[in-house]
Amino acid sequence: MKLRFDKNSLRLRLKKSDIEKLRNDNSVHEKIPFLNGSFEYRLLIAPDQPEVAANLEAQSITVVIPTNIALTWMNNNEVGIYHTIHIDENRNLDIILEKDFPCKEIPEEDQQDYFTPDDIPIPPNQC
């Protein structure tokens, strides 16, 4: 699972194996080691969650999605879940969860675990 930030957005991109882990365990996570600790990010499915949410605690970010939204997304050819969280009157946080496609710019990348046009029609310029 990849984590990307851009201005006021947080994007998680999941490969096929990440989707399977999410389907089986209701969660998927990654941990990045640093010399003085680690940073962790995770995606959770929660049956009692009313909408997509994101939480920041110490060295971790958790994105939580409702079960019905997760199941719909995992079991069809939709590329992503897109949700905006209103922080205050002047700020929003866009949460983007997407199925990951191979990058055309990195042809040597192992592409077996990525989604393809046979799985899902690739949006233009998707990488």
Side-chain angles (χ1 to χ4, degrees), residues 29-43:
H29 75 279
E30 296 289 340
K31 189 178 250 186
I32 301 168
F34 290 87
L35 290 174
N36 60 342
S38 62
F39 174 77
E40 189 169 9
Y41 56 101
R42 62 180 68 84
L43 175 61

Side-chain angles (χ1 to χ4, degrees), residues 55-103:
N55 300 303
L56 172 67
E57 293 182 30
Q59 287 103 340
S60 70
I61 293 172
T62 302
V63 176
V64 185
I65 53 176
T67 302
N68 61 329
I69 292 173
L71 290 175
T72 300
W73 176 60
M74 290 186 297
N75 295 318
N76 68 28
N77 65 358
E78 290 180 38
V79 172
I81 297 170
Y82 307 94
H83 184 77
T84 299
I85 297 172
H86 299 286
I87 306 297
D88 59 36
E89 64 185 47
N90 297 316
R91 297 180 302 159
N92 293 321
L93 174 63
D94 293 323
I95 304 294
I96 303 161
L97 308 173
E98 292 180 324
K99 295 172 182 167
D100 203 3
F101 295 91
C103 287

